Amino acid sequence: MSFLLADPSALWYLSTRLHARGHRRLARLIKGYNYLVFHAVLPPEARLAAPVVLGHLGLGVVVHPNVSLGKGVRLWHGVTLSVTDSLNSSSRLTIGDNVTFGAGCAVVSREREGLTICSDVAIGANAVVTRDISEKGNYGGVPAVKLAKIARRPDRPMSPA
């Protein structure tokens, strides 16, 4: 049980399951614990396909309640996933499977519009996404654009991992 108290992603997943089963007060209590201990705003109203990976214990991560996350999503510290509408709106931010968000990046939907990011995407640190991403690949910049594949130069061997 003590490992659970030290894992913000497991707590978030638990709070979403409790909220879905009608235990809203307990889910909110867990959200408050996550905020106090890890400084992360992780709403129980969000939809998670599985526990997500929160790099650096989710420090400073902010997620809007109208967000749906697929399997294998990774959020590094300081990530913001935002829907520019109220909680009761039909606008959703939908994230596919195996999406990685670099430190400090922001995903913000336009007002009264949803936003979708397909599976197998990596969004670089401090990038800002304001439009749908419908093609696999790496994205970066402000606003985020697809980055060209970086070819390895034969005269420079890759360093060992």
Side-chain angles (χ1 to χ4, degrees), residues 12-88:
W12 187 20
Y13 187 72
L14 175 62
S15 75
T16 61
R17 295 299 168 245
L18 288 169
H19 187 271
R21 291 187 176 116
H23 303 286
R24 288 173 168 71
R25 282 191 182 162
L26 185 54
R28 294 301 233 179
L29 184 64
I30 293 170
K31 175 190 175 186
Y33 177 83
N34 249 349
Y35 178 74
L36 287 172
V37 175
F38 301 106
H39 305 288
V41 180
L42 306 171
E45 299 87 357
R47 297 180 192 157
L48 308 180
V52 300
V53 176
L54 296 173
H56 301 126
L57 297 175
L59 182 66
V61 171
V62 177
V63 178
H64 191 277
N66 291 6
V67 171
S68 298
L69 299 175
K71 295 177 184 175
V73 172
R74 293 172 197 85
L75 303 169
W76 288 97
H77 63 277
V79 170
T80 300
L81 302 179
S82 173
V83 175
T84 318
D85 279 325
S86 67
L87 301 177
N88 299 327

